Amino acid sequence: MILPADFISETRALLGDEYPLLEAALQAHPTVSIRLNPAKGLKNLNRLPADRVGWCDTGYYLPERPAFTFDPLFHAGAYYVQEASSMFLEQAIRTYAGGPLKCLDLCAAPGGKSTHLLTALPGGSLLVSNEVIRSRSYILAENTMKWGSPHVIVTHNDPKEIGGLTHFFDMIVADAPCSGEGMFRKNPESMNEWSAGNVALCASRQRRILHDSWDALKPGGILIYSTCTYNLEENEENLHYILAELGAEALPIPVKETWNISGPLKYSYPVYRFFPHKTKGEGFFLAAVRKKEGGAPPYRKKQKKEKGKPKSAIPAGPGNWILQPEAYQIEMREHTIAAFPQSVAGDLQTIAAQLQIVSAGVSLGEVKGKDVVPCHSLAMSTAFNRSAFPVVDLTWDDAIRYLRKEAVTLPDALPKGYVLAAYKGYPLGFIKHMGNRSNNLYPHEWRIRTGCGRDPNDMKNKINACGFHGGESKTTG
Ligand code: SAM
């Protein structure tokens, strides 16, 4: 790997004698890691790797990178493939999220931090997961849907529009777009875009993003700022800007010495730096701050009153497709029956009045004439009442066929109608069983398109060999 000359000189100036160690580490292979989804149950993940990520309870390193596309559990949202250093977010949440809160993930796609927040935030919290680039907001919605928590709203807004939600959030996570230095090893193309000029551009864009959204954070609220870079401009200098210009105090996060996390390279604020020659992961920076108390009282835009159009009746059945339906507000959105947690339903109204919503809560079913077709979002949801549908547990071959949106042969004994397709007990989606044929309801745009490029059985063995899930299960009706 040939590093950009200016990167070498600037990082050498930053690290001094330590620099050759970083350069040597950048020539090694990147680490591969996953974070499990405890809300989907871990009972079938009986061969977990021994190598754990120290700062994340559900994080594991894998010995090599398997073809995740051909692991049905990846599509079921049983785990998320995430770079290990960035899982350090969990320590900040654990230290500063006391009870249920309203949290904004400001720069959220593709969803690594958001899915982690959905696991780590105290129960009853609401996550607003935002992405400014439209196409990326759909990927974010897909990943949060697969993770399965109903307590999430995905939005597609500029930070300035979010700033209009004055003092709404208890916590903001800003994992800012950056020059990507920390990803050189994992994503060598990022070196082509790197220049000293681009670092300066990224640093000023980060300050703008923070400035524009700052009003949305409550006085006394927590901001967690992170980048995957090493330089000072995007990190300590921006932290200094937050503290001095926006008004905040820097907060410490307890760490274990064995994690080998580095501290500040300028100023003496508590900051958490991950260097690949010291910590097992890629380059990363994180700092937490508390916004100063005081400031203008919150401005609340008046919520629009819903006009006269009579609401269409909601068919009764889908209400029982989720567990504890009484805890949800069930409503029609166009032709879709959707559920949103009752405890945060008021917040959904506020968000809907000011931001552009991509998805919210769980879509239960789509009304088509007299029929209600269960939505994929329902199958992915942790609120899903599995006893509402007959289940077919597929073999690996049939699961891959299902995920390719090909026809799957169902056992004759299975009742006709909608059936849940599962793999090792993890829901994959729905099939309409019509006796002599079946209709695969897997979302067309998510289907596996790539070929294995080799014998699928080899691929299956490779995935099982990587050891984060157990052996093949038998087909059950
Ligand atoms: N937090 C994500 C995760 O853990 O998966 C990664 C976020 S990535 C480092 C930064 C994100 O910021 C990208 O999705 C990018 O599209 C978005 N972004 C780019 N320009 C932005 C802007 N001006 N304001 C807000 N977000 C922006």
Side-chain angles (χ1 to χ4, degrees):
M1 175 191 293
I2 301 169
L3 297 164
D6 284 350
F7 171 80
I8 296 178
S9 56
E10 293 194 6
T11 314
R12 193 192 295 275
L14 198 63
L15 293 184
D17 293 346
E18 232 183 90
Y19 175 75
L21 299 174
L22 172 66
E23 191 165 321
L26 293 183
Q27 304 300 334
H29 286 296
T31 52
V32 181
S33 42
I34 57 167
R35 193 171 33 73
L36 303 180
N37 186 352
K40 293 234 167 172
L42 308 177
K43 60 184 185 309
N44 287 328
L45 304 172
N46 52 5
R47 282 168 51 197
L48 292 171
D51 202 1
R52 303 188 70 151
V53 178
W55 44 90
C56 174
D57 279 355
T58 49
Y60 291 83
Y61 297 102
L62 303 184
E64 60 175 338
R65 191 176 185 87
F68 290 110
T69 307
F70 296 101
D71 181 5
L73 298 187
F74 171 70
H75 302 273
Y79 61 91
Y80 191 93
V81 183
Q82 189 182 24
E83 196 286 300
S85 304
S86 55
M87 298 180 195
F88 182 66
L89 173 65
E90 180 166 311
Q91 298 301 318
I93 302 298
R94 191 172 290 177
T95 311
Y96 293 107
L101 42 76
K102 284 185 273 204
C103 178
L104 167 70
D105 187 1
L106 182 59
C107 312
K113 307 283 181 312
S114 280
T115 52
H116 199 175
L117 286 164
L118 289 167
T119 297
L121 287 171
S125 296
L126 171 69
L127 178 69
V128 176
S129 183
N130 178 69
E131 170 56 44
V132 71
I133 298 175
R134 183 187 290 273
S135 56
R136 290 175 63 81
S137 72
Y138 299 141
I139 296 166
L140 176 64
E142 173 181 342
N143 284 329
T144 51
M145 183 200 290
K146 284 181 180 163
W147 205 249
S149 168
H151 285 73
V152 59
I153 304 173
V154 175
T155 58
H156 160 54
N157 284 88
D158 187 272
K160 205 167 210 147
E161 294 159 335
I162 296 201
L165 278 167
T166 312
H167 300 179
F168 186 78
F169 293 103
D170 305 289
M171 179 176 274
I172 296 182
V173 174
D175 186 35
C178 68
S179 65
E181 293 168 346
M183 291 295 137
F184 281 176
R185 187 164 79 159
K186 196 175 161 206
N187 181 12
E189 308 88 75
S190 58
M191 279 191 292
N192 303 333
E193 282 161 38
W194 191 94
S195 68
N198 194 33
V199 168
L201 209 76
C202 287
S204 91
R205 181 171 56 189
Q206 288 150 358
R207 285 196 295 278
R208 194 179 68 236
I209 289 172
L210 293 164
H211 171 271
D212 287 351
S213 55
W214 187 246
D215 270 358
L217 185 62
K218 278 182 191 162
I222 305 292
L223 168 77
I224 299 169
Y225 174 72
S226 62
T227 75
C228 50
T229 61
Y230 309 110
N231 66 72
L232 294 175
E233 285 164 275
E234 297 182 74
N235 299 317
E236 274 101 324
E237 294 294 6
N238 274 351
L239 176 62
H240 184 66
Y241 162 80
I242 298 167
L243 303 179
E245 301 294 324
L246 300 180
E249 59 162 325
L251 299 171
I253 300 168
V255 294
K256 285 193 180 150
E257 221 170 281
T258 50
W259 298 344
N260 281 326
I261 297 170
S262 306
L265 294 171
K266 188 177 177 186
Y267 307 110
S268 54
Y269 308 131
V271 302
Y272 302 87
R273 287 178 160 278
F274 290 68
F275 287 107
H277 60 288
K278 293 175 87 177
T279 311
K280 195 168 175 184
E282 304 311 299
F284 186 62
F285 172 96
L286 186 143
V289 309
R290 190 191 307 279
K291 185 175 181 173
K292 279 199 176 132
E293 295 288 348
Y299 162 77
R300 289 271 180 267
K301 200 171 171 178
K302 274 197 187 147
Q303 284 169 11
K304 283 183 221 147
K305 281 214 173 126
E306 288 195 26
K307 288 210 186 112
K309 215 168 142 196
K311 285 194 171 172
S312 33
I314 301 174
N320 297 319
W321 292 353
I322 48 173
L323 302 165
Q324 293 183 299
E326 67 286 355
Y328 292 85
Q329 176 175 287
I330 296 181
E331 59 185 23
M332 287 298 296
R333 297 182 193 149
E334 303 281 323
H335 300 290
T336 302
I337 304 165
F340 195 77
Q342 198 72 260
S343 58
V344 284
D347 296 326
L348 175 60
Q349 273 197 4
T350 308
I351 300 285
Q354 278 183 250
L355 302 183
Q356 201 170 323
I357 293 182
V358 179
S359 64
V362 196
S363 296
L364 304 180
E366 205 186 330
V367 180
K368 287 192 172 167
K370 286 187 181 159
D371 197 10
V372 182
V373 184
C375 290
H376 192 69
S377 160
L378 174 70
M380 295 292 99
S381 179
T382 54
F384 180 36
N385 175 10
R386 291 176 194 205
S387 64
F389 294 88
V391 181
V392 58
D393 206 57
L394 303 175
T395 59
W396 182 84
D397 301 83
D398 275 344
I400 296 297
R401 231 168 258 139
Y402 176 75
L403 294 165
R404 286 188 188 280
K405 206 169 165 62
E406 292 170 3
V408 174
T409 310
L410 297 173
D412 290 340
L414 216 58
K416 284 184 198 151
Y418 294 105
V419 170
L420 177 74
Y423 176 70
K424 293 178 187 287
Y426 288 80
L428 294 179
F430 290 103
I431 299 177
K432 188 168 186 184
H433 183 30
M434 291 170 286
N436 50 355
R437 64 194 175 89
S438 67
N439 195 1
N440 182 335
L441 300 181
Y442 192 71
H444 183 77
E445 60 284 12
W446 295 0
R447 74 196 187 282
I448 299 178
R449 279 166 250 210
T450 50
C452 290
R454 61 184 105 170
D455 180 354
N457 284 322
D458 282 355
M459 192 58 68
K460 175 172 59 182
N461 293 338
K462 193 165 159 63
I463 288 164
N464 282 332
C466 93
F468 55 88
H469 67 82
E472 189 64 47
S473 66
K474 296 266 180 313
T475 308
T476 53

